[in-house]
Amino acid sequence: MGQLRRNFLKIQQLVHPDSFSQMGDTERRLAEAQSSWVNHAYATLKDPLLRAFYMLELKGEAIGEEDQISDPELLMQIMELREEIEASKTDTQIAVIKERNDLKTANVIARLSAAFDAEDYDSAKQLTHHLQYLHRVAQTVHNWEPGKPVILSH
Protein backbone atom coordinates (compact mmCIF):
# COMPACT_ATOMS: atom_id res chain seq x y z
CA MET A 1 0.00 0.00 0.00
CA GLY A 2 2.95 2.33 0.45
CA GLN A 3 3.52 2.56 -3.30
CA LEU A 4 -0.19 3.16 -3.88
CA ARG A 5 -0.15 6.08 -1.43
CA ARG A 6 3.01 7.55 -2.96
CA ASN A 7 1.48 7.37 -6.45
CA PHE A 8 -1.75 8.88 -5.18
CA LEU A 9 0.09 11.82 -3.61
CA LYS A 10 2.10 12.44 -6.79
CA ILE A 11 -0.99 12.45 -8.98
CA GLN A 12 -3.00 14.48 -6.50
CA GLN A 13 -0.25 17.10 -6.43
CA LEU A 14 -0.55 17.44 -10.22
CA VAL A 15 -4.33 17.84 -10.28
CA HIS A 16 -5.12 19.48 -6.93
CA PRO A 17 -7.46 22.47 -7.41
CA ASP A 18 -5.20 24.73 -5.32
CA SER A 19 -2.58 24.43 -8.05
CA PHE A 20 -5.09 25.97 -10.46
CA SER A 21 -6.26 28.88 -8.29
CA GLN A 22 -4.76 31.46 -10.67
CA MET A 23 -6.33 29.82 -13.75
CA GLY A 24 -9.74 30.38 -15.30
CA ASP A 25 -13.02 28.82 -14.16
CA THR A 26 -12.83 26.01 -16.72
CA GLU A 27 -9.37 24.90 -15.58
CA ARG A 28 -10.37 25.05 -11.91
CA ARG A 29 -13.52 22.99 -12.53
CA LEU A 30 -11.52 20.42 -14.49
CA ALA A 31 -8.95 20.25 -11.70
CA GLU A 32 -11.74 19.74 -9.13
CA ALA A 33 -13.23 16.93 -11.22
CA GLN A 34 -9.84 15.27 -11.74
CA SER A 35 -9.00 15.59 -8.06
CA SER A 36 -12.32 14.00 -7.17
CA TRP A 37 -11.68 11.10 -9.57
CA VAL A 38 -8.22 10.55 -8.13
CA ASN A 39 -9.61 10.57 -4.58
CA HIS A 40 -12.33 8.08 -5.53
CA ALA A 41 -9.84 5.80 -7.29
CA TYR A 42 -7.49 5.86 -4.30
CA ALA A 43 -10.33 5.10 -1.87
CA THR A 44 -11.42 2.17 -4.05
CA LEU A 45 -7.95 0.71 -4.42
CA LYS A 46 -6.94 1.00 -0.76
CA ASP A 47 -10.08 -0.73 0.56
CA PRO A 48 -9.91 -4.52 0.00
CA LEU A 49 -13.67 -4.92 -0.37
CA LEU A 50 -14.14 -2.03 -2.79
CA ARG A 51 -11.05 -3.17 -4.70
CA ALA A 52 -12.47 -6.70 -5.04
CA PHE A 53 -15.79 -5.39 -6.35
CA TYR A 54 -13.93 -3.18 -8.82
CA MET A 55 -11.62 -5.95 -10.01
CA LEU A 56 -14.55 -8.32 -10.53
CA GLU A 57 -16.35 -5.63 -12.51
CA LEU A 58 -13.26 -5.11 -14.69
CA LYS A 59 -13.23 -8.84 -15.47
CA GLY A 60 -16.93 -8.86 -16.38
CA GLU A 61 -17.78 -10.76 -13.19
CA ALA A 62 -19.56 -8.00 -11.27
CA ILE A 63 -21.55 -9.07 -8.23
CA GLY A 64 -25.20 -8.16 -8.62
CA GLU A 65 -28.21 -8.10 -6.34
CA GLU A 66 -29.13 -11.61 -7.49
CA ASP A 67 -25.80 -12.97 -6.26
CA GLN A 68 -26.22 -14.16 -2.72
CA ILE A 69 -24.24 -16.15 -0.20
CA SER A 70 -24.90 -19.80 -0.97
CA ASP A 71 -22.47 -21.35 1.52
CA PRO A 72 -24.64 -22.88 4.30
CA GLU A 73 -21.66 -22.93 6.69
CA LEU A 74 -21.10 -19.19 6.23
CA LEU A 75 -24.81 -18.49 6.68
CA MET A 76 -24.72 -20.45 9.96
CA GLN A 77 -21.66 -18.47 11.08
CA ILE A 78 -23.53 -15.23 10.37
CA MET A 79 -26.47 -16.30 12.52
CA GLU A 80 -24.28 -17.57 15.36
CA LEU A 81 -22.13 -14.45 15.37
CA ARG A 82 -25.19 -12.20 15.42
CA GLU A 83 -26.40 -14.08 18.50
CA GLU A 84 -22.94 -13.81 20.10
CA ILE A 85 -22.78 -10.06 19.53
CA GLU A 86 -26.32 -9.64 20.81
CA ALA A 87 -25.50 -11.63 23.96
CA SER A 88 -22.34 -9.60 24.63
CA LYS A 89 -22.49 -7.48 27.76
CA THR A 90 -19.00 -5.99 27.95
CA ASP A 91 -16.45 -4.21 25.81
CA THR A 92 -14.06 -7.09 26.51
CA GLN A 93 -16.42 -9.61 24.93
CA ILE A 94 -16.79 -7.38 21.89
CA ALA A 95 -13.00 -6.93 21.68
CA VAL A 96 -12.60 -10.72 21.46
CA ILE A 97 -15.15 -10.87 18.63
CA LYS A 98 -13.36 -7.99 16.87
CA GLU A 99 -9.99 -9.71 17.14
CA ARG A 100 -11.40 -12.96 15.74
CA ASN A 101 -13.08 -11.05 12.91
CA ASP A 102 -9.84 -9.18 12.10
CA LEU A 103 -7.97 -12.49 11.77
CA LYS A 104 -10.69 -13.94 9.54
CA THR A 105 -10.64 -10.79 7.43
CA ALA A 106 -6.87 -11.00 6.91
CA ASN A 107 -7.22 -14.66 5.91
CA VAL A 108 -10.01 -13.95 3.41
CA ILE A 109 -8.06 -11.03 1.89
CA ALA A 110 -5.04 -13.30 1.37
CA ARG A 111 -7.23 -16.00 -0.23
CA LEU A 112 -8.96 -13.38 -2.36
CA SER A 113 -5.63 -12.10 -3.62
CA ALA A 114 -4.61 -15.65 -4.52
CA ALA A 115 -7.92 -16.21 -6.34
CA PHE A 116 -7.39 -13.08 -8.44
CA ASP A 117 -3.78 -14.10 -9.15
CA ALA A 118 -5.05 -17.48 -10.37
CA GLU A 119 -7.86 -15.80 -12.36
CA ASP A 120 -10.34 -17.92 -10.40
CA TYR A 121 -13.21 -15.45 -10.51
CA ASP A 122 -15.83 -17.85 -9.12
CA SER A 123 -13.76 -18.20 -5.96
CA ALA A 124 -13.07 -14.45 -5.98
CA LYS A 125 -16.83 -13.79 -6.03
CA GLN A 126 -17.45 -16.15 -3.12
CA LEU A 127 -14.58 -14.67 -1.14
CA THR A 128 -15.80 -11.14 -1.89
CA HIS A 129 -19.19 -12.10 -0.44
CA HIS A 130 -17.40 -13.49 2.61
CA LEU A 131 -15.32 -10.31 2.94
CA GLN A 132 -18.47 -8.22 2.64
CA TYR A 133 -19.98 -10.16 5.53
CA LEU A 134 -16.83 -9.72 7.63
CA HIS A 135 -16.91 -5.99 6.85
CA ARG A 136 -20.49 -5.85 8.16
CA VAL A 137 -19.37 -7.66 11.31
CA ALA A 138 -16.62 -5.07 11.80
CA GLN A 139 -19.15 -2.26 11.42
CA THR A 140 -21.57 -3.94 13.82
CA VAL A 141 -18.84 -4.46 16.42
CA HIS A 142 -17.68 -0.85 16.00
CA ASN A 143 -21.23 0.45 16.57
CA TRP A 144 -22.03 -1.98 19.41
CA GLU A 145 -23.63 -0.64 22.55
CA PRO A 146 -24.88 -2.76 25.47
CA GLY A 147 -28.56 -3.54 25.10
CA LYS A 148 -28.80 -2.02 21.63
CA PRO A 149 -30.36 -4.33 19.00
CA VAL A 150 -27.84 -5.98 16.68
CA ILE A 151 -28.44 -5.62 12.95
CA LEU A 152 -26.17 -7.91 10.98
CA SER A 153 -27.57 -8.61 7.54
CA HIS A 154 -26.40 -11.31 5.20
Side-chain angles (χ1 to χ4, degrees):
M1 281 299 164
Q3 186 63 42
L4 176 64
R5 177 133 178 92
R6 284 189 294 279
N7 288 342
F8 162 71
L9 292 173
K10 283 180 192 175
I11 294 169
Q12 189 57 272
Q13 189 174 27
L14 294 172
V15 299
H16 197 277
D18 289 349
S19 301
F20 294 82
S21 62
Q22 303 301 316
M23 301 289 201
D25 286 344
T26 302
E27 288 85 359
R28 279 195 307 272
R29 280 196 305 270
L30 284 172
E32 288 171 2
Q34 289 176 333
S35 180
S36 176
W37 294 332
V38 169
N39 287 336
H40 179 74
Y42 178 66
T44 298
L45 294 175
K46 77 175 186 173
D47 180 281
L49 181 59
L50 295 177
R51 185 173 58 246
F53 278 123
Y54 178 68
M55 289 175 65
L56 285 169
E57 188 177 323
L58 284 177
K59 296 300 182 180
E61 299 286 342
I63 294 178
E65 290 292 321
E66 69 282 353
D67 294 316
Q68 298 198 3
I69 297 173
S70 58
D71 180 356
E73 187 177 321
L74 181 57
L75 291 171
M76 184 60 74
Q77 286 177 15
I78 293 169
M79 291 176 14
E80 289 172 354
L81 189 53
R82 181 186 176 280
E83 291 171 2
E84 185 179 356
I85 294 170
E86 208 165 62
S88 295
K89 305 276 189 241
T90 68
D91 289 334
T92 303
Q93 290 171 314
I94 289 298
V96 169
I97 294 170
K98 180 190 180 309
E99 185 176 326
R100 238 183 14 239
N101 192 67
D102 290 349
L103 290 172
K104 287 180 184 180
T105 299
N107 177 273
V108 169
I109 290 170
R111 291 171 44 212
L112 184 57
S113 179
F116 277 116
D117 287 347
E119 298 182 6
D120 181 357
Y121 302 120
D122 288 335
S123 292
K125 277 181 148 180
Q126 291 173 355
L127 290 163
T128 299
H129 274 298
H130 196 153
L131 184 58
Q132 186 174 29
Y133 150 70
L134 293 170
H135 185 262
R136 288 182 187 139
V137 170
Q139 288 176 322
T140 301
V141 165
H142 178 75
N143 296 326
W144 176 84
E145 294 177 25
K148 182 179 171 185
V150 174
I151 299 171
L152 180 61
S153 60
H154 56 277

